[in-house]
Amino acid sequence: MKPSLPQGPLNRALVLLLAAAVLGAAVFFGYRLLTDPSCAEGVTEVEKECVGVTDGSFVFTDELGPVTSRIKEENESVAGKNPVTVALMIPLVSDQQAERREMVEQVQGAYLAQYRANRESGKQPPIRLVLANPGREYGQWRRVADQLARSAADGKENLRAVTGINISIADSKAAVHYLTAEKHIPVVAGPMTADDIANTAADPREFPGLARIAPSNSDQASALAAYGAAIKPAETLVVEDTREGDNYLATLRATFAKLTKGAPNAPETFESPKDFTQEGNLGNVFAQMVPDICSSAASTLFFAGRPVQLRLFLVALGNRKCNKAYTVITGSHASTLMVDQKFEGNWGSLTKSSGITVRYTALAHPDSWGEASAEGPGGSKGPTAELAALLRAEETKQPDRIGPADRRDGRIIITYDAVTTAVAGIRKDVGESVTIPSLDDVTQSWRRLHGGNRVDGASGWICLDQYGNPYNKAVPIVHLDPAVRGAVLDTVAWPLGHAPDGNCSIGAEG
């Protein structure tokens, strides 16, 4: 016998109301299931991109899978041991193959620094590493910076430094200012070179708590000027991107203007797309520009532009009709060409006609302090050999463990040194006890990382001046060699024209 439904208008109304509620709940939770903005714990989908912070539990891209797994393992190994957290904050999703390759290398460098730090005998506290994705071109930096601030206030997570910051643009500058000036979180920038994202004598507290380990564009230009003192301004020409809002471009334009003062020709200009990873119509623009370059007296071309635009320019210059040799001098971001698959078929552009020499100031190079180098003030062979050994070690060996790794473009090296510097500041004066320093303790420690307390980085000595900037940091000058399809070291130059003394002493002006 089937059970009968409640009779009467009131009961029927209650049944219908209950059914509607159940149906509504089902629709709501079904909608949430299909549109849930959460990619994983701590990571949220915003504008079709997963942004946020992960301890390695979430993988942003397939290429990051191997090294992300190693980070998760390392974090699990220090759980319960009172660790402090260091964040690597860089964009971790891109449509561009070359950018994705560089992202992987930077995460590899950060992991290797964490791995090494957690195996230093008697050094405390242990280091927990998290990956913080602020979105393409730092578009969601505020959301992620607030997450990091909550982690800094959390007594279990104890975030004590943010590292990375790899692109010198308006949004990355805003992120650094917000983290340091408003949230009082120490930051160690990695491959960031713009002059205007730094503390200076004119404004020593613009970014309180910021430490930089890469030479600024001005420092690179000074080193380059010392190296290329024989270059005659009358034989130079500047090719520059006039796009606004890009600190890297702005400082390159300024430094190249100084190096070419007195040049007979005004700069050849172009404007890249707002998304500088896109080509736009610049292939045609450069093709039209080349005949004017050929007709000038210039043999040295200073290129103020990002890697995509550099690639297009070199292809156009390689197809020139004039039989002249050129040297193209540019900034450190040129290292991207080594991992850019779109340049793979265009290395021959450098050998056409009488040839093109592409020379740039690198942030780091493995041969600067390699086995064949002459060790002296400014750098040490030990850290370079140690990093090389880490890449060969069974526990970290690539490609099985962290993915394919290549130190030649400097990204692994400079990020390894950024995290190593952060660890040095966190552990300063802690000794063997598991003590959690305050955020201010870490900020204050930047002031002591010079002289005998310098950081012996794989990129060279890191001696921070009173503003948190690297003092007279080694600048590798390299050229792209089509024969090996990579960067070959020419020399190590110095912003002051000479290496620091053996104590890495900083003068009164520093």
Side-chain angles (χ1 to χ4, degrees), residues 60-390:
F60 286 100
T61 66
D62 291 342
E63 295 101 321
L64 286 168
V67 68
T68 300
S69 295
R70 302 292 79 74
I71 291 171
K72 187 173 186 295
E73 288 178 3
E74 191 66 19
N75 286 339
E76 289 173 347
S77 74
V78 300
K81 299 178 181 179
N82 210 19
V84 299
T85 299
V86 173
L88 179 70
M89 184 179 182
I90 60 172
L92 290 168
V93 175
S94 174
D95 298 326
Q96 303 299 315
Q97 167 272 329
E99 284 196 345
R100 292 198 302 273
R101 180 64 237 155
E102 289 179 334
M103 292 168 188
V104 171
E105 290 178 340
Q106 289 168 85
V107 175
Q108 289 172 330
Y111 163 69
L112 292 170
Q114 177 201 22
Y115 180 89
R116 171 185 174 274
N118 285 337
R119 283 154 184 79
E120 286 188 284
S121 179
K123 296 294 183 70
Q124 296 289 346
I127 304 301
R128 175 177 176 263
L129 179 66
V130 296
L131 302 179
N133 178 26
R136 289 174 172 84
E137 297 181 37
Y138 290 83
Q140 300 297 325
W141 68 263
R142 178 65 179 263
R143 175 191 295 267
V144 175
D146 283 336
Q147 277 186 263
L148 295 173
R150 290 193 292 272
S151 179
D154 188 313
K156 293 182 178 179
E157 296 191 6
N158 289 312
L159 177 84
R160 287 299 175 265
V162 175
T163 64
I165 317 296
N166 58 342
I167 310 172
S168 302
I169 56 177
D171 275 346
S172 62
K173 181 178 182 178
V176 172
H177 186 270
Y178 184 73
L179 287 167
T180 57
E182 297 192 39
K183 296 301 181 181
H184 311 293
I185 297 174
V187 171
V188 183
M192 184 182 74
T193 60
D195 290 305
D196 62 345
I197 312 179
N199 296 312
T200 62
D203 194 349
R205 297 283 297 169
E206 183 176 4
F207 306 97
L210 172 62
R212 293 176 42 146
I213 65 163
S216 68
N217 285 344
S218 290
D219 278 354
Q220 293 179 48
S222 297
L224 194 61
Y227 171 75
I231 297 175
K232 300 175 181 178
E235 298 174 356
T236 65
L237 177 68
V238 175
V239 179
E240 62 183 26
D241 189 346
T242 60
R243 178 171 50 81
E244 297 182 353
D246 190 317
N247 306 67
Y248 174 80
L249 296 181
T251 51
L252 275 185
R253 289 193 298 262
T255 52
F256 288 166
K258 293 178 183 178
L259 291 176
T260 59
K261 186 177 181 179
N265 296 309
E268 292 283 351
T269 64
F270 65 94
E271 185 172 346
S272 60
K274 183 177 180 180
D275 179 354
F276 57 76
T277 66
Q278 300 301 311
E279 297 181 4
N281 190 42
L282 289 177
N284 290 333
V285 172
F286 291 135
Q288 296 168 15
M289 186 186 296
V290 166
D292 291 333
I293 293 174
C294 279
S295 63
S296 75
S299 57
T300 299
L301 309 176
F302 287 88
F303 188 85
R306 292 280 184 179
V308 169
Q309 291 71 46
L310 176 62
R311 165 167 50 82
L312 295 172
F313 177 71
L314 292 175
V315 171
L317 189 62
N319 291 327
R320 65 194 179 280
K321 301 300 181 184
C322 58
N323 189 26
K324 294 171 64 176
Y326 286 99
T327 296
V328 176
I329 296 176
T330 189
S332 56
H333 207 177
S335 62
T336 297
L337 291 183
M338 281 185 281
V339 297
D340 186 351
Q341 289 181 352
K342 290 186 177 181
F343 193 62
E344 274 293 302
N346 289 300
W347 281 93
S349 299
L350 306 185
T351 59
K352 290 182 178 179
S353 185
S354 295
I356 303 171
T357 299
V358 180
R359 181 164 284 120
Y360 63 93
T361 47
L363 300 183
H365 192 279
D367 292 339
S368 296
W369 317 107
E371 293 180 2
S373 67
E375 185 164 8
S380 308
K381 291 184 178 182
T384 294
E386 188 171 19
L387 176 55
L390 283 172

Side-chain angles (χ1 to χ4, degrees), residues 448-463:
R448 299 193 294 277
L449 295 184
H450 56 257
N453 293 319
R454 68 173 185 257
V455 176
D456 286 340
S459 61
W461 289 356
I462 299 166
C463 308

Side-chain angles (χ1 to χ4, degrees), residues 397-438:
K397 186 171 61 179
Q398 50 88 14
D400 296 334
R401 297 290 288 171
I402 64 172
D406 191 337
R407 292 177 295 148
R408 289 180 302 168
D409 68 352
R411 294 273 170 171
I412 288 177
I413 299 173
I414 203 72
T415 313
Y416 174 85
D417 279 356
V419 175
T420 297
T421 300
V423 172
I426 289 168
R427 288 177 169 175
K428 184 71 183 145
D429 298 329
V430 168
E432 296 186 7
S433 62
V434 183
T435 303
I436 304 298
S438 68

